[in-house]
Amino acid sequence: MRRNSYSASFVGFIAGLSLPMFSYGHSAMFPDGFKFDDSNEGKKPKLMLRDVSTKCENGNASGYPCKNIDLQAFLAKEKMGGGSANLNDIWGYTDPVTGAEIAIVGRTNGTSFVDITNPLKPVFLGFLPSHNNGSAAWRDIKTYNDHAFIVADGSGNRTHGLQVFDLTTLRDLPSPGQTLQETAHLDGFGNAHNIAINEDTGYAYIVGSNQCSGGLYMVNVSDPQKPVYAGCFSADGYTHDTQCVVYKGADIQFYQHEICIGYNEDTITIVDVTNKSNPKQISRTPYEGAQYTHQGWFLNDEHNILIMNDELDEQRNGINTTSYIYDVRQLDNPIEIGRYVGPTTAIDHNLYTKDGFVFETNYRAGLRILSTNDIENGKLEEVAYFDSIPGSNSAQFSGTWSNYVYFDSGNIVLSDIGNGLFVVNPDWDVINKPDPNPTYCNSSSTNANYEWIAGVQLGQYSHNSGASQYSDFTQEEVNLVVGKSNIVLQPGYSGIKFNEYWKIWIDLNKDGDFDDTGEMVFSSNEAVSSTVNGVLAIPSSAQEGKTRLRVSMRYNSAPSACSEFKYGEVEDYTVNITHN
């Protein structure tokens, strides 16, 4: 895995300062840089004034710049209760009984609930006023066990605490447009900036509050209507945002521990919260150019890579939108492996991940969808966008605050601070359309004089060949069915029999590489001199049709899909995958 040189040099610089990494806590509560600023946004589309559904064609959907994302509907803030109050955070909920998809929209003075089950005709269901009628720019919502858990920040919310709302009550409203009442409430803190919930454990983590020095304030919400304080982590001071998971990554010593990744204004701070009464800081990682460490998310449930944003680096460092990519296979030593620099100067805000894509909401540049196909090498690629502020991509605080991407329908909801709720839908057929002529990475040995691939049997297909460093047999077509197929791999020798290590890859999603999860479909797991008999497994998620299969045999060591090595051979075939 590539490590950028600036990361190593900066880490070395920090190490030279001899910071006491497990006791040092930065000064509490750096000022949050957000102040709504809709100046110089440019002309707004006329269709913003009414409900609209438009496909993205020629880079435009009803006046909004777009790429591979269709506009389903727009609902103005004045049509969601709460008067003309601005929007902030957004989350979502799917009713397990009715299947209704509900957008939960944060407002400066409360929370709006909008049914987007029919994405072309969103229905405003009700408005929940802020606890004690407080009002300020910040509100955050998460869901667990059919309840919404809400916190709010700012001087107007000093008595807000944790507001709980029973989402099942939305099924039985007498009519749309109701004023709603909170179901339960927890005191113990007042204002707070954010909330995360680990749905695997039933614990909520309130951050940026007026308790725990702004750090992790832990609450047991397993009984949603009776939340109970559970613990506190304050050693590193103020946490702006966090994600908490039951860890399944490569760092064995923390496997199955409950881990929180804190975005702590100038560091990424990782804490083991398995024992709520005695949480332990694992690491505290600064980075070059830090201005306001804001928020981030794991790439997937393997918990080995995360993507993070800095809310003020665009303004203060004069750079384009920048996302930071970290290898966290060692939780006590996160390593920056790359930075993605976007095409605009817009400020980045909240990002989430799903199915190998990053979904960023970047204020005036709107929703940006990034492919992670090459993230192991520290690279992201923009594949789609929808921009709610057509006239400006400048580094100012207006536009999209956040997104929610986890509805089964595939629809995405966006909260535009000064305008309202957008419902959009990516064109995944276009985004995932494979290159008809992909270029695959090179792989070969440099010496096939002593050992080579003599025979390959894959299911009903069999092929024998002579010595070569690399053989292109893509004119040969191997027919394989999803599931398990028996294979036989036979080495050839000019004399002495050497131990050989075998692997097979298939480009299952036809994206021109062998890097995606599950694309290594066979490994011998050891080096042996004899013929190898085994089973090749193709997952049900594999796309049907023709794609590339690679067989690699390497002397005494495990080969990788794109390596050059000294002894052995690599062979490429065309495989035709079917589901029956």
Side-chain angles (χ1 to χ4, degrees):
M1 181 175 294
R2 179 171 62 86
R3 265 74 168 172
N4 288 331
S5 59
Y6 56 73
S7 298
S9 62
F10 183 66
V11 170
F13 168 74
I14 292 297
L17 296 180
S18 299
L19 295 176
M21 301 297 279
F22 290 92
S23 61
Y24 175 81
H26 53 63
S27 58
M29 298 192 182
F30 297 165
D32 188 301
F34 177 82
K35 183 177 182 181
F36 181 62
D37 174 14
D38 60 353
S39 63
N40 306 311
E41 281 189 349
K43 189 176 181 180
K44 298 179 181 179
K46 293 181 180 179
L47 289 178
M48 182 174 278
L49 300 178
R50 65 177 178 82
D51 298 340
V52 61
S53 171
T54 313
K55 286 189 68 65
C56 178
E57 295 179 344
N58 301 315
N60 187 284
S62 294
Y64 298 99
C66 59
K67 176 184 178 182
N68 299 333
I69 300 178
D70 298 329
L71 172 60
Q72 302 282 70
F74 168 74
L75 191 62
K77 62 184 181 181
E78 292 83 2
K79 295 183 178 181
M80 290 189 287
S84 60
N86 279 350
L87 279 63
N88 39 59
D89 193 51
I90 193 166
W91 203 245
Y93 167 72
T94 300
D95 190 308
V97 174
T98 67
E101 294 184 340
I102 311 296
I104 308 174
V105 187
R107 311 287 295 279
T108 58
N109 59 351
T111 307
S112 299
F113 298 83
V114 180
D115 187 334
I116 65 144
T117 308
N118 180 349
L120 307 182
K121 295 182 178 180
V123 177
F124 164 57
L125 298 176
F127 178 77
L128 174 67
S130 183
H131 185 77
N132 285 345
N133 296 310
S135 182
W138 303 273
R139 188 171 304 275
D140 199 73
I141 312 110
K142 295 297 184 296
T143 60
Y144 174 71
N145 199 9
D146 300 323
H147 288 73
F149 297 83
I150 305 166
V151 299
D153 204 358
S155 59
N157 290 299
R158 289 173 179 162
T159 62
H160 189 279
L162 179 62
Q163 191 177 37
V164 183
F165 178 73
D166 183 350
L167 293 162
T168 66
T169 61
L170 297 174
R171 299 173 191 161
D172 303 316
L173 296 177
S175 62
Q178 299 292 307
T179 298
L180 307 173
Q181 302 295 320
E182 66 183 38
T183 307
H185 182 264
L186 176 69
D187 290 314
F189 66 94
N191 57 291
H193 194 79
N194 222 308
I195 180 172
I197 295 180
N198 184 351
E199 295 186 28
D200 290 331
T201 63
Y203 280 92
Y205 298 87
I206 289 92
V207 296
S209 77
N210 59 350
Q211 298 295 323
C212 299
S213 300
L216 298 167
Y217 185 96
M218 308 178 213
V219 177
N220 184 337
V221 295
S222 57
D223 183 344
Q225 297 188 21
K226 296 179 180 179
V228 178
Y229 169 77
C232 173
F233 176 79
S234 60
D236 195 40
Y238 182 85
T239 298
H240 190 81
D241 207 334
T242 190
Q243 182 185 11
C244 300
V245 301
V246 175
Y247 179 71
K248 300 173 185 175
D251 197 335
I252 299 300
Q253 63 178 320
F254 297 107
Y255 188 76
Q256 293 294 327
H257 286 220
E258 190 167 9
I259 301 296
C260 289
I261 310 294
Y263 300 93
N264 285 24
E265 302 185 295
D266 57 0
T267 63
I268 299 172
T269 300
I270 302 179
V271 183
D272 186 338
V273 295
T274 308
N275 183 346
K276 304 298 182 292
S277 62
N278 189 27
K280 298 289 187 180
Q281 183 169 305
I282 299 171
S283 62
R284 181 179 185 277
T285 305
Y287 57 98
E288 186 177 14
Q291 295 296 340
Y292 200 89
T293 314
H294 179 259
Q295 184 261 357
W297 212 251
F298 279 112
L299 170 63
N300 52 38
D301 289 340
E302 294 179 358
H303 301 150
N304 288 324
I305 292 178
L306 63 81
I307 306 97
M308 181 272 291
N309 52 54
D310 184 307
E311 191 175 20
L312 297 181
D313 56 353
E314 289 83 17
Q315 278 190 340
R316 294 179 178 175
N317 296 341
I319 60 176
N320 279 13
T321 310
T322 300
S323 305
Y324 302 77
I325 306 167
Y326 277 83
D327 175 356
V328 287
R329 288 177 172 89
Q330 291 181 301
L331 293 179
D332 60 358
N333 185 32
I335 297 176
E336 185 184 329
I337 59 172
R339 298 185 181 189
Y340 167 76
V341 180
T344 79
T345 60
I347 300 167
D348 42 9
H349 202 223
N350 291 344
L351 67 85
Y352 299 97
T353 61
K354 181 184 178 183
D355 296 337
F357 293 90
V358 181
F359 298 79
E360 298 187 346
T361 25
N362 294 341
Y363 283 116
R364 290 197 176 188
L367 173 67
R368 301 278 162 162
I369 301 180
L370 311 177
S371 168
T372 66
N373 282 343
D374 200 21
I375 197 169
E376 291 280 353
N377 291 315
K379 297 179 181 179
L380 299 170
E381 178 186 8
E382 185 174 276
V383 295
Y385 63 82
F386 180 88
D387 189 347
S388 68
I389 307 293
S392 173
N393 286 324
S394 63
Q396 293 174 257
F397 289 106
S398 67
T400 52
W401 181 290
S402 195
N403 68 81
Y404 182 79
V405 301
Y406 302 111
F407 290 127
D408 287 344
S409 65
N411 292 312
I412 298 172
V413 287
L414 310 173
S415 53
D416 181 292
I417 302 167
N419 294 305
L421 172 70
F422 286 86
V423 184
V424 300
N425 190 278
D427 188 341
W428 292 112
D429 289 338
V430 175
I431 293 171
N432 289 321
K433 186 177 181 180
D435 184 343
N437 298 297
T439 299
Y440 288 89
C441 60
N442 295 322
S443 183
S444 70
S445 75
T446 59
N447 190 327
N449 294 329
Y450 306 104
E451 64 256 86
W452 59 89
I453 298 174
V456 171
Q457 181 177 325
L458 305 168
Q460 300 302 311
Y461 173 85
S462 183
H463 184 261
N464 297 317
S465 60
S468 180
Q469 297 167 11
Y470 169 79
S471 297
D472 184 353
F473 294 131
T474 53
Q475 75 279 5
E476 299 279 338
E477 188 171 306
V478 182
N479 292 307
L480 293 176
V481 178
V482 164
K484 296 180 179 180
S485 298
N486 293 324
I487 63 171
V488 180
L489 305 172
Q490 180 184 354
Y493 302 106
S494 61
I496 298 173
K497 293 184 177 181
F498 297 99
N499 289 333
E500 311 296 340
Y501 205 121
W502 298 78
K503 284 190 178 183
I504 300 176
W505 295 266
I506 298 178
D507 181 13
L508 296 172
N509 61 355
K510 304 180 184 180
D511 66 347
D513 61 49
F514 304 107
D515 297 340
D516 301 292
T517 302
E519 291 192 332
M520 186 186 74
V521 294
F522 174 78
S523 173
S524 64
N525 294 322
E526 61 178 342
V528 297
S529 61
S530 58
T531 296
V532 171
N533 293 272
V535 175
L536 176 152
I538 299 178
S540 59
S541 58
Q543 296 184 22
E544 285 195 311
K546 297 178 182 179
T547 186
R548 182 68 61 91
L549 180 148
R550 175 164 291 176
V551 182
S552 185
M553 184 196 84
R554 180 180 181 182
Y555 164 66
N556 211 40
S557 297
S560 61
C562 301
S563 63
E564 182 180 87
F565 48 87
K566 192 167 184 180
Y567 299 110
E569 186 182 356
V570 177
E571 294 182 349
D572 279 354
Y573 295 84
T574 296
V575 60
N576 182 38
I577 298 174
T578 60
H579 281 251
N580 51 44

